[in-house]
Amino acid sequence: MKDSLDYDVIVVGAGSAALAAAISARNEGARVLVLEKSPRELRGGNCRFVGGGTQLWHRGVSEIAELVPDLTEEEAGSMIMPENSADAWYNKIMGVTEERADPKLTEILVTESNPTVRWLKDQGLRFEPDADEAIREGTKLRWKPQHVVIRARGGGRGLVDALFDIAGKKGAEILYRTKAVKLLCDSRGRVVGVTAQDKDGFKDVKSKAVILACGGFESNREWRARYLGPGWDLVRPRGTRFNTGDGLRMALEIGAQPAGHWSGCHATAMDYQVSRVPEGEDVGGAGWADDPKRNYYNGAVQVNINGIRFLDEGADFRPFIYAKYGPLLLPQPGAMAWQIFDARVSSLLPVEYRNGSPVIANSIKELAEKLGMPALTKTIDEFNAAVQEEIPLNFAIKDGRGTVGITPTKSNWAQKIDKPPFLAYPVACGIMFTFGGIKISTRAQVLDTEGEAIPGLYATGEIVGGVWYKSWTGGGGIALGEVFGRIAGANAAG
Protein backbone atom coordinates (compact mmCIF):
# COMPACT_ATOMS: atom_id res chain seq x y z
CA MET A 1 0.00 0.00 0.00
CA LYS A 2 1.46 3.31 -1.02
CA ASP A 3 1.16 6.66 0.69
CA SER A 4 -0.06 8.73 -2.22
CA LEU A 5 -2.03 11.75 -3.41
CA ASP A 6 -2.65 10.05 -6.71
CA TYR A 7 -6.25 8.95 -6.09
CA ASP A 8 -9.33 10.94 -6.89
CA VAL A 9 -11.74 8.49 -5.24
CA ILE A 10 -11.27 5.83 -2.56
CA VAL A 11 -14.04 3.23 -2.32
CA VAL A 12 -14.25 1.40 1.00
CA GLY A 13 -15.67 -2.10 0.51
CA ALA A 14 -15.94 -4.40 -2.48
CA GLY A 15 -19.47 -5.75 -2.85
CA SER A 16 -21.74 -4.93 -5.77
CA ALA A 17 -22.51 -1.44 -4.40
CA ALA A 18 -18.82 -0.58 -4.02
CA LEU A 19 -17.90 -1.96 -7.43
CA ALA A 20 -20.74 -0.09 -9.14
CA ALA A 21 -19.37 3.08 -7.52
CA ALA A 22 -15.81 2.30 -8.62
CA ILE A 23 -16.90 1.63 -12.21
CA SER A 24 -18.98 4.80 -12.29
CA ALA A 25 -16.09 6.90 -10.99
CA ARG A 26 -13.67 5.37 -13.50
CA ASN A 27 -16.10 6.19 -16.29
CA GLU A 28 -15.73 9.84 -15.26
CA GLY A 29 -11.95 9.58 -15.54
CA ALA A 30 -11.23 9.40 -11.80
CA ARG A 31 -8.25 7.51 -10.40
CA VAL A 32 -9.92 4.94 -8.15
CA LEU A 33 -8.65 2.83 -5.26
CA VAL A 34 -10.86 0.06 -3.78
CA LEU A 35 -10.02 -1.08 -0.25
CA GLU A 36 -11.25 -4.58 0.61
CA LYS A 37 -10.96 -5.91 4.14
CA SER A 38 -11.23 -9.56 3.14
CA PRO A 39 -8.69 -11.77 1.37
CA ARG A 40 -9.22 -12.08 -2.37
CA GLU A 41 -10.82 -15.52 -2.14
CA LEU A 42 -13.56 -14.19 0.19
CA ARG A 43 -14.21 -10.94 -1.67
CA GLY A 44 -17.65 -9.71 -2.66
CA GLY A 45 -19.38 -8.90 0.63
CA ASN A 46 -22.86 -10.28 1.15
CA CYS A 47 -23.46 -10.57 -2.60
CA ARG A 48 -21.60 -13.85 -2.89
CA PHE A 49 -24.07 -15.44 -0.45
CA VAL A 50 -27.24 -14.61 -2.38
CA GLY A 51 -28.96 -15.32 -5.66
CA GLY A 52 -27.89 -12.07 -7.31
CA GLY A 53 -31.38 -10.95 -8.27
CA THR A 54 -32.07 -7.25 -8.58
CA GLN A 55 -35.45 -5.58 -8.47
CA LEU A 56 -36.41 -2.99 -11.08
CA TRP A 57 -39.46 -1.45 -12.64
CA HIS A 58 -40.19 -3.04 -16.00
CA ARG A 59 -42.91 -3.52 -18.59
CA GLY A 60 -42.86 -7.31 -18.72
CA VAL A 61 -41.25 -9.94 -20.93
CA SER A 62 -40.53 -7.65 -23.88
CA GLU A 63 -38.37 -5.36 -21.77
CA ILE A 64 -36.59 -8.19 -19.98
CA ALA A 65 -35.74 -9.62 -23.39
CA GLU A 66 -33.87 -6.38 -24.12
CA LEU A 67 -31.76 -6.91 -21.01
CA VAL A 68 -31.03 -10.55 -21.86
CA PRO A 69 -29.99 -10.29 -25.52
CA ASP A 70 -29.29 -14.03 -25.89
CA LEU A 71 -32.81 -14.92 -24.76
CA THR A 72 -34.45 -16.80 -27.63
CA GLU A 73 -37.89 -15.99 -28.98
CA GLU A 74 -39.05 -19.42 -27.86
CA GLU A 75 -37.77 -18.84 -24.31
CA ALA A 76 -39.40 -15.43 -24.13
CA GLY A 77 -42.64 -16.94 -25.37
CA SER A 78 -42.64 -19.41 -22.49
CA MET A 79 -42.57 -16.63 -19.87
CA ILE A 80 -45.58 -15.11 -18.18
CA MET A 81 -44.27 -12.00 -16.45
CA PRO A 82 -46.54 -9.26 -15.05
CA GLU A 83 -45.13 -5.77 -15.43
CA ASN A 84 -43.78 -4.04 -12.34
CA SER A 85 -44.50 -0.34 -12.63
CA ALA A 86 -42.45 2.24 -10.77
CA ASP A 87 -45.55 3.33 -8.87
CA ALA A 88 -46.37 -0.23 -7.84
CA TRP A 89 -42.87 -0.92 -6.51
CA TYR A 90 -42.72 2.45 -4.71
CA ASN A 91 -46.06 1.75 -3.05
CA LYS A 92 -44.94 -1.74 -2.08
CA ILE A 93 -41.82 -0.39 -0.37
CA MET A 94 -43.93 2.14 1.49
CA GLY A 95 -46.33 -0.60 2.50
CA VAL A 96 -43.80 -3.08 3.89
CA THR A 97 -41.91 -0.29 5.71
CA GLU A 98 -45.12 1.10 7.24
CA GLU A 99 -44.66 4.40 5.37
CA ARG A 100 -41.32 5.05 7.11
CA ALA A 101 -39.04 4.77 4.08
CA ASP A 102 -37.42 8.06 3.06
CA PRO A 103 -39.64 9.12 0.14
CA LYS A 104 -36.89 10.95 -1.77
CA LEU A 105 -34.38 8.10 -1.55
CA THR A 106 -37.08 5.56 -2.32
CA GLU A 107 -38.15 7.50 -5.41
CA ILE A 108 -34.55 7.58 -6.67
CA LEU A 109 -34.13 3.86 -5.95
CA VAL A 110 -37.28 2.98 -7.87
CA THR A 111 -37.05 5.35 -10.85
CA GLU A 112 -33.33 4.74 -11.42
CA SER A 113 -33.49 0.94 -11.04
CA ASN A 114 -34.26 0.24 -14.70
CA PRO A 115 -31.72 2.74 -16.12
CA THR A 116 -29.09 1.38 -13.73
CA VAL A 117 -29.60 -2.22 -14.86
CA ARG A 118 -29.30 -1.04 -18.45
CA TRP A 119 -26.14 0.87 -17.50
CA LEU A 120 -24.66 -2.25 -15.91
CA LYS A 121 -25.48 -4.21 -19.06
CA ASP A 122 -23.65 -1.57 -21.09
CA GLN A 123 -20.62 -1.97 -18.80
CA GLY A 124 -20.52 -5.67 -19.64
CA LEU A 125 -22.59 -7.34 -16.93
CA ARG A 126 -24.67 -10.23 -18.26
CA PHE A 127 -28.16 -10.97 -16.95
CA GLU A 128 -30.52 -13.93 -17.06
CA PRO A 129 -34.15 -14.50 -16.04
CA ASP A 130 -34.42 -15.37 -12.35
CA ALA A 131 -36.26 -18.65 -12.82
CA ASP A 132 -35.97 -19.49 -9.10
CA GLU A 133 -38.67 -16.88 -8.51
CA ALA A 134 -41.08 -18.40 -11.04
CA ILE A 135 -43.75 -21.10 -10.88
CA ARG A 136 -43.64 -23.77 -13.58
CA GLU A 137 -46.98 -24.31 -15.33
CA GLY A 138 -46.42 -27.07 -17.86
CA THR A 139 -43.98 -25.66 -20.41
CA LYS A 140 -44.33 -22.10 -19.14
CA LEU A 141 -42.79 -20.11 -16.30
CA ARG A 142 -45.04 -17.70 -14.43
CA TRP A 143 -43.63 -14.94 -12.22
CA LYS A 144 -45.75 -13.65 -9.38
CA PRO A 145 -46.54 -9.93 -9.21
CA GLN A 146 -43.61 -7.71 -8.14
CA HIS A 147 -41.20 -10.63 -7.78
CA VAL A 148 -37.58 -10.42 -8.93
CA VAL A 149 -37.43 -11.38 -12.60
CA ILE A 150 -33.77 -10.85 -13.48
CA ARG A 151 -30.40 -11.66 -11.93
CA ALA A 152 -26.75 -11.54 -12.83
CA ARG A 153 -25.52 -14.60 -14.67
CA GLY A 154 -23.97 -16.93 -12.12
CA GLY A 155 -25.99 -15.57 -9.21
CA GLY A 156 -24.50 -13.42 -6.49
CA ARG A 157 -21.00 -14.79 -6.91
CA GLY A 158 -21.25 -14.33 -10.67
CA LEU A 159 -22.38 -10.75 -10.08
CA VAL A 160 -19.39 -9.68 -8.02
CA ASP A 161 -16.86 -11.66 -10.09
CA ALA A 162 -18.12 -9.91 -13.23
CA LEU A 163 -18.03 -6.49 -11.57
CA PHE A 164 -14.48 -7.09 -10.30
CA ASP A 165 -13.47 -7.97 -13.83
CA ILE A 166 -15.11 -4.85 -15.28
CA ALA A 167 -13.64 -2.56 -12.62
CA GLY A 168 -10.18 -4.04 -13.11
CA LYS A 169 -10.29 -3.67 -16.87
CA LYS A 170 -11.33 -0.05 -16.45
CA GLY A 171 -8.25 0.58 -14.33
CA ALA A 172 -9.54 0.62 -10.76
CA GLU A 173 -6.86 -0.47 -8.28
CA ILE A 174 -8.04 -3.05 -5.73
CA LEU A 175 -6.23 -3.86 -2.49
CA TYR A 176 -7.21 -6.93 -0.45
CA ARG A 177 -6.66 -7.54 3.26
CA THR A 178 -6.64 -3.76 3.62
CA LYS A 179 -9.20 -2.07 5.81
CA ALA A 180 -10.03 1.57 6.32
CA VAL A 181 -9.94 2.48 10.01
CA LYS A 182 -10.31 6.28 9.98
CA LEU A 183 -11.53 9.08 7.72
CA LEU A 184 -9.03 11.88 7.19
CA CYS A 185 -10.37 15.44 7.22
CA ASP A 186 -8.70 18.76 6.51
CA SER A 187 -9.05 21.89 8.64
CA ARG A 188 -12.31 22.80 6.89
CA GLY A 189 -13.93 19.44 7.57
CA ARG A 190 -13.55 18.02 4.08
CA VAL A 191 -12.83 14.29 3.83
CA VAL A 192 -9.46 13.94 2.09
CA GLY A 193 -8.68 10.24 2.42
CA VAL A 194 -8.48 7.39 4.90
CA THR A 195 -6.10 5.79 7.32
CA ALA A 196 -5.82 2.19 6.14
CA GLN A 197 -4.35 -0.90 7.76
CA ASP A 198 -2.71 -3.86 6.04
CA LYS A 199 -0.15 -6.48 7.09
CA ASP A 200 2.53 -3.78 7.26
CA GLY A 201 0.57 -1.52 9.60
CA PHE A 202 -1.19 1.82 9.25
CA LYS A 203 -0.81 4.35 6.47
CA ASP A 204 -2.65 7.48 5.38
CA VAL A 205 -3.94 7.37 1.80
CA LYS A 206 -5.14 10.69 0.37
CA SER A 207 -7.90 11.30 -2.15
CA LYS A 208 -10.34 13.97 -3.26
CA ALA A 209 -13.37 11.92 -2.15
CA VAL A 210 -14.26 8.75 -0.26
CA ILE A 211 -17.22 6.45 -0.91
CA LEU A 212 -18.29 4.20 1.99
CA ALA A 213 -19.76 0.95 0.69
CA CYS A 214 -18.70 -1.53 3.35
CA GLY A 215 -22.03 -2.77 4.69
CA GLY A 216 -23.67 -2.68 8.09
CA PHE A 217 -22.78 -4.23 11.44
CA GLU A 218 -24.44 -7.66 11.25
CA SER A 219 -21.16 -9.49 11.89
CA ASN A 220 -20.31 -7.46 14.98
CA ARG A 221 -21.63 -9.48 17.92
CA GLU A 222 -21.32 -6.61 20.41
CA TRP A 223 -23.08 -4.11 18.13
CA ARG A 224 -25.91 -6.60 17.47
CA ALA A 225 -26.59 -6.83 21.20
CA ARG A 226 -26.19 -3.04 21.60
CA TYR A 227 -28.54 -1.96 18.82
CA LEU A 228 -30.80 -4.91 17.98
CA GLY A 229 -31.30 -6.02 21.58
CA PRO A 230 -30.84 -8.96 23.94
CA GLY A 231 -30.30 -12.31 22.28
CA TRP A 232 -29.09 -10.90 18.98
CA ASP A 233 -25.48 -11.57 19.94
CA LEU A 234 -26.38 -15.27 19.60
CA VAL A 235 -27.92 -14.96 16.12
CA ARG A 236 -25.77 -16.41 13.33
CA PRO A 237 -24.90 -14.13 10.37
CA ARG A 238 -25.74 -15.70 7.01
CA GLY A 239 -23.43 -13.49 4.98
CA THR A 240 -19.89 -12.16 5.07
CA ARG A 241 -18.05 -12.07 8.38
CA PHE A 242 -16.32 -8.82 7.42
CA ASN A 243 -19.29 -6.45 7.84
CA THR A 244 -18.53 -5.27 11.37
CA GLY A 245 -19.63 -1.64 11.18
CA ASP A 246 -16.23 -0.07 10.39
CA GLY A 247 -17.66 2.41 7.90
CA LEU A 248 -20.49 3.39 10.23
CA ARG A 249 -18.07 3.99 13.10
CA MET A 250 -15.76 6.13 10.95
CA ALA A 251 -18.62 8.21 9.58
CA LEU A 252 -20.26 8.75 12.97
CA GLU A 253 -16.90 9.82 14.44
CA ILE A 254 -16.81 12.82 12.09
CA GLY A 255 -20.43 13.82 12.65
CA ALA A 256 -22.45 11.81 10.11
CA GLN A 257 -26.16 11.65 10.86
CA PRO A 258 -27.54 8.23 11.87
CA ALA A 259 -30.58 7.24 9.85
CA GLY A 260 -33.01 4.40 9.52
CA HIS A 261 -34.08 1.50 11.68
CA TRP A 262 -31.07 0.86 13.94
CA SER A 263 -32.93 -1.77 15.95
CA GLY A 264 -34.06 -3.56 12.78
CA CYS A 265 -32.46 -5.92 10.31
CA HIS A 266 -32.96 -8.31 7.43
CA ALA A 267 -33.24 -11.53 9.41
CA THR A 268 -34.65 -14.75 8.04
CA ALA A 269 -35.31 -18.33 9.02
CA MET A 270 -32.24 -20.47 8.34
CA ASP A 271 -31.31 -24.11 8.79
CA TYR A 272 -31.07 -24.77 12.53
CA GLN A 273 -27.88 -26.83 12.31
CA VAL A 274 -26.14 -24.20 10.20
CA SER A 275 -27.16 -21.56 12.76
CA ARG A 276 -24.92 -23.43 15.22
CA VAL A 277 -21.82 -23.14 13.03
CA PRO A 278 -19.35 -20.87 14.90
CA GLU A 279 -19.06 -17.28 13.70
CA GLY A 280 -15.89 -16.80 11.70
CA GLU A 281 -16.67 -19.80 9.50
CA ASP A 282 -18.45 -19.12 6.21
CA VAL A 283 -21.80 -20.75 5.51
CA GLY A 284 -23.29 -20.87 2.03
CA GLY A 285 -21.58 -18.69 -0.49
CA ALA A 286 -22.35 -20.48 -3.74
CA GLY A 287 -25.72 -18.91 -4.43
CA TRP A 288 -29.17 -20.18 -3.55
CA ALA A 289 -28.46 -23.88 -4.03
CA ASP A 290 -26.02 -23.65 -1.12
CA ASP A 291 -27.99 -21.10 0.89
CA PRO A 292 -29.11 -22.17 4.39
CA LYS A 293 -32.18 -19.92 4.38
CA ARG A 294 -35.61 -21.48 4.89
CA ASN A 295 -38.20 -18.98 3.69
CA TYR A 296 -40.96 -20.94 1.98
CA TYR A 297 -43.78 -19.95 4.33
CA ASN A 298 -46.63 -19.92 1.83
CA GLY A 299 -46.93 -23.72 1.61
CA ALA A 300 -45.99 -24.43 5.22
CA VAL A 301 -47.36 -24.64 8.69
CA GLN A 302 -44.75 -23.34 11.12
CA VAL A 303 -44.81 -24.31 14.79
CA ASN A 304 -42.55 -23.76 17.78
CA ILE A 305 -41.06 -26.65 19.76
CA ASN A 306 -44.31 -26.89 21.74
CA GLY A 307 -46.25 -27.52 18.53
CA ILE A 308 -47.97 -24.10 18.49
CA ARG A 309 -48.31 -21.88 15.42
CA PHE A 310 -47.21 -18.27 15.98
CA LEU A 311 -47.38 -16.42 12.64
CA ASP A 312 -49.47 -15.99 9.48
CA GLU A 313 -47.66 -18.08 6.89
CA GLY A 314 -49.81 -16.59 4.11
CA ALA A 315 -49.71 -12.88 4.93
CA ASP A 316 -47.95 -11.99 1.68
CA PHE A 317 -45.61 -13.36 -0.95
CA ARG A 318 -42.26 -14.62 0.34
CA PRO A 319 -40.11 -11.61 -0.76
CA PHE A 320 -42.21 -9.23 1.33
CA ILE A 321 -42.47 -11.08 4.65
CA TYR A 322 -39.44 -13.27 5.23
CA ALA A 323 -37.15 -10.46 6.40
CA LYS A 324 -39.52 -9.63 9.26
CA TYR A 325 -40.42 -13.24 10.10
CA GLY A 326 -36.88 -14.23 11.08
CA PRO A 327 -36.93 -12.10 14.26
CA LEU A 328 -40.18 -13.77 15.34
CA LEU A 329 -38.17 -16.92 16.02
CA LEU A 330 -36.14 -15.32 18.81
CA PRO A 331 -38.95 -15.12 21.43
CA GLN A 332 -39.96 -18.74 20.80
CA PRO A 333 -38.86 -21.46 23.22
CA GLY A 334 -35.32 -22.45 22.30
CA ALA A 335 -35.33 -19.64 19.69
CA MET A 336 -36.26 -22.17 17.01
CA ALA A 337 -39.22 -23.64 15.15
CA TRP A 338 -40.23 -26.34 12.67
CA GLN A 339 -41.57 -25.79 9.15
CA ILE A 340 -43.93 -28.61 8.22
CA PHE A 341 -44.90 -29.62 4.69
CA ASP A 342 -46.84 -32.49 3.18
CA ALA A 343 -46.49 -34.19 -0.20
CA ARG A 344 -48.69 -31.58 -1.90
CA VAL A 345 -46.04 -28.89 -1.63
CA SER A 346 -42.77 -30.74 -1.06
CA SER A 347 -42.10 -30.69 -4.81
CA LEU A 348 -42.54 -26.88 -4.80
CA LEU A 349 -39.84 -26.24 -2.21
CA PRO A 350 -37.10 -23.85 -3.39
CA VAL A 351 -33.76 -25.30 -4.36
CA GLU A 352 -32.07 -24.37 -1.09
CA TYR A 353 -34.23 -26.85 0.82
CA ARG A 354 -32.39 -29.66 -0.95
CA ASN A 355 -29.35 -29.11 1.23
CA GLY A 356 -31.38 -29.73 4.41
CA SER A 357 -32.10 -32.86 6.42
CA PRO A 358 -35.79 -32.87 7.32
CA VAL A 359 -37.50 -35.21 9.76
CA ILE A 360 -39.79 -37.40 7.65
CA ALA A 361 -42.87 -39.34 8.76
CA ASN A 362 -45.86 -41.10 7.20
CA SER A 363 -48.40 -39.62 9.61
CA ILE A 364 -48.72 -36.50 11.74
CA LYS A 365 -48.86 -38.72 14.83
CA GLU A 366 -45.54 -40.31 13.85
CA LEU A 367 -44.06 -36.88 13.13
CA ALA A 368 -45.22 -35.61 16.53
CA GLU A 369 -43.55 -38.59 18.21
CA LYS A 370 -40.29 -38.09 16.30
CA LEU A 371 -40.22 -34.40 17.23
CA GLY A 372 -41.24 -35.00 20.85
CA MET A 373 -44.17 -32.65 20.28
CA PRO A 374 -47.49 -34.12 21.54
CA ALA A 375 -49.47 -30.93 20.79
CA LEU A 376 -48.61 -31.07 17.07
CA THR A 377 -51.43 -33.48 16.23
CA LYS A 378 -54.06 -31.17 17.72
CA THR A 379 -52.52 -28.11 16.02
CA ILE A 380 -52.60 -29.74 12.59
CA ASP A 381 -56.12 -31.13 13.10
CA GLU A 382 -57.40 -27.67 14.04
CA PHE A 383 -55.58 -26.09 11.13
CA ASN A 384 -56.97 -28.60 8.62
CA ALA A 385 -60.52 -28.05 9.90
CA ALA A 386 -60.13 -24.28 9.47
CA VAL A 387 -59.05 -24.30 5.81
CA GLN A 388 -61.54 -22.60 3.45
CA GLU A 389 -61.47 -25.31 0.82
CA GLU A 390 -64.33 -23.72 -1.13
CA ILE A 391 -61.89 -21.01 -2.33
CA PRO A 392 -59.63 -22.12 -5.23
CA LEU A 393 -55.94 -22.44 -4.41
CA ASN A 394 -53.60 -20.34 -6.56
CA PHE A 395 -49.97 -19.76 -5.53
CA ALA A 396 -49.52 -17.24 -8.37
CA ILE A 397 -51.74 -14.63 -6.69
CA LYS A 398 -52.87 -13.68 -3.21
CA ASP A 399 -55.83 -16.01 -3.47
CA GLY A 400 -57.68 -15.22 -0.21
CA ARG A 401 -57.88 -18.92 0.58
CA GLY A 402 -57.37 -18.65 4.32
CA THR A 403 -58.43 -20.19 7.60
CA VAL A 404 -61.33 -19.37 9.89
CA GLY A 405 -61.68 -19.80 13.62
CA ILE A 406 -58.01 -20.19 14.55
CA THR A 407 -55.34 -17.77 15.74
CA PRO A 408 -53.12 -16.82 14.08
CA THR A 409 -55.00 -17.05 10.83
CA LYS A 410 -53.40 -18.04 7.55
CA SER A 411 -54.54 -15.38 5.07
CA ASN A 412 -53.70 -17.00 1.73
CA TRP A 413 -52.70 -20.37 0.23
CA ALA A 414 -54.10 -22.43 3.09
CA GLN A 415 -54.50 -26.11 2.35
CA LYS A 416 -54.73 -29.15 4.54
CA ILE A 417 -51.58 -30.83 5.77
CA ASP A 418 -52.80 -34.40 5.32
CA LYS A 419 -50.98 -36.07 2.43
CA PRO A 420 -47.93 -38.16 3.44
CA PRO A 421 -45.03 -38.17 3.60
CA PHE A 422 -44.69 -35.22 5.99
CA LEU A 423 -41.47 -33.22 6.21
CA ALA A 424 -40.33 -31.04 9.12
CA TYR A 425 -37.38 -28.67 8.74
CA PRO A 426 -35.80 -27.18 11.91
CA VAL A 427 -35.15 -23.43 11.65
CA ALA A 428 -33.55 -20.64 13.65
CA CYS A 429 -33.03 -16.93 13.03
CA GLY A 430 -30.16 -15.83 10.79
CA ILE A 431 -29.19 -12.23 10.07
CA MET A 432 -28.22 -10.99 6.59
CA PHE A 433 -27.81 -7.23 7.04
CA THR A 434 -28.79 -4.39 9.35
CA PHE A 435 -31.22 -1.59 8.47
CA GLY A 436 -29.63 1.21 10.50
CA GLY A 437 -27.09 3.37 8.72
CA ILE A 438 -26.07 6.90 7.83
CA LYS A 439 -28.16 9.51 6.09
CA ILE A 440 -27.39 10.43 2.50
CA SER A 441 -28.76 12.94 0.03
CA THR A 442 -30.23 12.01 -3.35
CA ARG A 443 -26.71 12.64 -4.70
CA ALA A 444 -25.38 9.96 -2.31
CA GLN A 445 -23.58 12.59 -0.19
CA VAL A 446 -23.28 11.70 3.50
CA LEU A 447 -25.13 14.28 5.62
CA ASP A 448 -24.09 15.52 9.05
CA THR A 449 -26.32 15.86 12.09
CA GLU A 450 -27.44 19.31 10.87
CA GLY A 451 -28.46 17.92 7.50
CA GLU A 452 -25.53 19.42 5.61
CA ALA A 453 -23.38 17.40 3.20
CA ILE A 454 -19.99 16.38 4.57
CA PRO A 455 -17.67 17.51 1.74
CA GLY A 456 -15.90 14.65 0.01
CA LEU A 457 -17.90 11.83 1.64
CA TYR A 458 -20.41 9.57 -0.14
CA ALA A 459 -22.11 6.28 0.68
CA THR A 460 -24.05 3.46 -0.95
CA GLY A 461 -25.33 -0.02 -0.17
CA GLU A 462 -26.20 -1.52 3.18
CA ILE A 463 -24.43 1.27 5.09
CA VAL A 464 -27.19 3.66 3.94
CA GLY A 465 -30.04 4.11 6.40
CA GLY A 466 -33.54 5.36 5.76
CA VAL A 467 -35.06 3.03 3.18
CA TRP A 468 -35.68 -0.28 4.97
CA TYR A 469 -37.78 -0.43 8.13
CA LYS A 470 -39.32 -3.58 9.61
CA SER A 471 -38.99 -5.35 6.26
CA TRP A 472 -37.85 -4.92 2.68
CA THR A 473 -38.69 -6.06 -0.84
CA GLY A 474 -36.75 -8.94 -2.41
CA GLY A 475 -33.96 -7.79 -4.71
CA GLY A 476 -34.19 -4.29 -3.27
CA GLY A 477 -30.86 -4.42 -1.45
CA ILE A 478 -28.78 -5.11 -4.53
CA ALA A 479 -30.79 -2.52 -6.48
CA LEU A 480 -30.20 0.14 -3.82
CA GLY A 481 -26.45 -0.49 -3.81
CA GLU A 482 -26.18 -0.39 -7.59
CA VAL A 483 -28.38 2.68 -8.04
CA PHE A 484 -26.64 4.81 -5.42
CA GLY A 485 -23.26 3.30 -6.29
CA ARG A 486 -23.62 4.65 -9.79
CA ILE A 487 -24.70 8.03 -8.42
CA ALA A 488 -21.98 8.14 -5.77
CA GLY A 489 -19.23 7.26 -8.20
CA ALA A 490 -20.21 9.92 -10.72
CA ASN A 491 -20.63 12.66 -8.11
CA ALA A 492 -17.48 11.77 -6.17
CA ALA A 493 -15.47 11.87 -9.40
CA GLY A 494 -17.07 15.14 -10.42
Side-chain angles (χ1 to χ4, degrees):
M1 180 173 58
K2 59 185 178 179
D3 189 356
S4 173
L5 292 169
D6 289 341
Y7 299 108
D8 295 312
V9 176
I10 294 174
V11 180
V12 181
S16 63
L19 295 169
I23 292 167
S24 178
R26 279 297 300 149
N27 286 351
E28 299 297 323
R31 293 155 295 184
V32 176
L33 173 66
V34 178
L35 300 179
E36 172 54 80
K37 185 179 180 181
S38 79
R40 190 183 190 283
E41 63 271 17
L42 299 178
R43 68 185 186 177
N46 276 337
C47 285
R48 68 187 187 92
F49 293 84
V50 299
T54 184
Q55 185 61 284
L56 76 162
W57 67 262
H58 62 86
R59 301 181 182 89
V61 177
S62 60
E63 185 152 23
I64 298 307
E66 296 175 8
L67 300 172
V68 187
D70 54 353
L71 190 70
T72 67
E73 189 173 327
E74 181 180 2
E75 289 171 330
S78 70
M79 297 176 180
I80 304 171
M81 190 179 290
E83 75 167 29
N84 183 31
S85 70
D87 286 345
W89 187 23
Y90 179 92
N91 291 335
K92 191 66 180 183
I93 292 175
M94 287 298 171
V96 301
T97 61
E98 300 176 3
E99 304 294 328
R100 291 180 179 271
D102 183 302
K104 292 181 180 179
L105 295 183
T106 303
E107 183 177 3
I108 295 292
L109 164 61
V110 170
T111 57
E112 291 299 314
S113 60
N114 186 301
T116 297
V117 168
R118 291 180 178 274
W119 173 78
L120 287 166
K121 172 180 171 288
D122 291 341
Q123 306 310 305
L125 187 62
R126 300 180 70 188
F127 292 97
E128 63 186 9
D130 194 344
D132 289 325
E133 291 286 354
I135 299 173
R136 184 163 291 281
E137 297 179 350
T139 60
K140 293 186 178 292
L141 287 175
R142 179 186 293 276
W143 276 262
K144 303 168 195 173
Q146 295 186 312
H147 278 51
V148 174
V149 298
I150 195 170
R151 67 184 177 196
R153 182 157 296 183
R157 182 167 289 186
L159 169 62
V160 289
D161 284 347
L163 292 178
F164 272 112
D165 184 58
I166 295 166
K169 288 179 178 177
K170 287 181 177 289
E173 183 178 348
I174 302 169
L175 297 180
Y176 299 102
R177 296 183 184 270
T178 306
K179 62 179 180 180
V181 296
K182 182 181 179 180
L183 292 169
L184 300 176
C185 298
D186 65 17
S187 59
R188 294 177 297 174
R190 181 179 184 85
V191 173
V192 291
V194 303
T195 298
Q197 181 184 13
D198 63 8
K199 62 182 179 60
D200 297 321
F202 298 92
K203 189 164 292 186
D204 291 346
V205 187
K206 300 295 184 63
S207 65
K208 296 176 182 177
V210 173
I211 301 172
L212 298 175
C214 46
F217 60 87
E218 66 274 4
S219 293
N220 185 325
R221 187 188 293 265
E222 192 269 337
W223 277 36
R224 293 201 305 268
R226 184 194 305 180
Y227 293 111
L228 302 183
W232 281 96
D233 50 332
L234 303 178
V235 174
R236 179 67 166 81
R238 273 181 48 221
T240 178
R241 64 176 181 264
F242 299 100
N243 283 4
T244 54
D246 299 337
L248 289 167
R249 174 187 53 76
M250 292 188 294
L252 295 174
E253 284 176 348
I254 66 165
Q257 182 178 161
H261 189 187
W262 274 76
S263 61
C265 61
H266 177 294
T268 70
M270 70 183 297
D271 181 87
Y272 178 81
Q273 296 303 325
V274 176
S275 76
R276 266 42 188 175
V277 174
E279 288 191 47
E281 298 180 24
D282 281 348
V283 295
W288 282 13
D290 194 34
D291 196 324
K293 71 175 181 286
R294 300 286 182 265
N295 295 326
Y296 189 67
Y297 294 98
N298 298 159
V301 165
Q302 182 161 295
V303 298
N304 63 22
I305 60 174
N306 295 324
I308 307 301
R309 291 177 60 246
F310 58 93
L311 52 77
D312 180 354
E313 304 93 340
D316 206 336
F317 290 118
R318 178 197 63 82
F320 312 124
I321 59 172
Y322 70 90
K324 66 179 180 180
Y325 274 9
L328 298 185
L329 291 164
L330 289 183
Q332 300 306 313
M336 70 167 296
W338 292 86
Q339 293 177 353
I340 298 172
F341 306 91
D342 73 356
R344 285 191 179 88
V345 296
S346 58
S347 62
L348 302 177
L349 292 179
V351 64
E352 60 267 21
Y353 278 80
R354 298 174 194 168
N355 63 42
S357 300
V359 176
I360 303 174
N362 288 315
S363 69
I364 293 296
K365 181 180 179 181
E366 179 189 357
L367 187 64
E369 291 173 351
K370 286 186 173 183
L371 299 180
M373 195 184 291
L376 179 63
T377 302
K378 180 182 178 183
T379 295
I380 298 299
D381 286 346
E382 290 178 347
F383 178 85
N384 288 344
V387 173
Q388 296 176 291
E389 290 192 289
E390 67 276 11
I391 300 175
L393 180 70
N394 187 348
F395 282 112
I397 61 172
K398 293 173 71 171
D399 60 7
R401 178 179 164 126
T403 58
V404 292
I406 60 172
T407 302
T409 189
K410 184 168 183 176
S411 300
N412 297 283
W413 313 297
Q415 60 178 334
K416 292 182 177 180
I417 307 292
D418 63 358
K419 185 176 181 181
F422 303 95
L423 286 70
Y425 287 84
V427 296
C429 181
I431 183 171
M432 196 71 199
F433 67 89
T434 45
F435 290 160
I438 50 179
K439 189 172 184 62
I440 64 169
S441 72
T442 55
R443 290 173 52 82
Q445 301 159 297
V446 176
L447 304 181
D448 65 18
T449 52
E450 286 73 47
E452 300 294 330
I454 298 176
L457 187 61
Y458 299 80
T460 183
E462 293 167 4
I463 196 172
V464 171
V467 176
W468 310 122
Y469 290 81
K470 301 287 187 178
S471 191
W472 80 321
T473 62
I478 288 179
L480 186 148
E482 293 170 345
V483 165
F484 284 100
R486 180 188 180 193
I487 293 170
N491 288 327

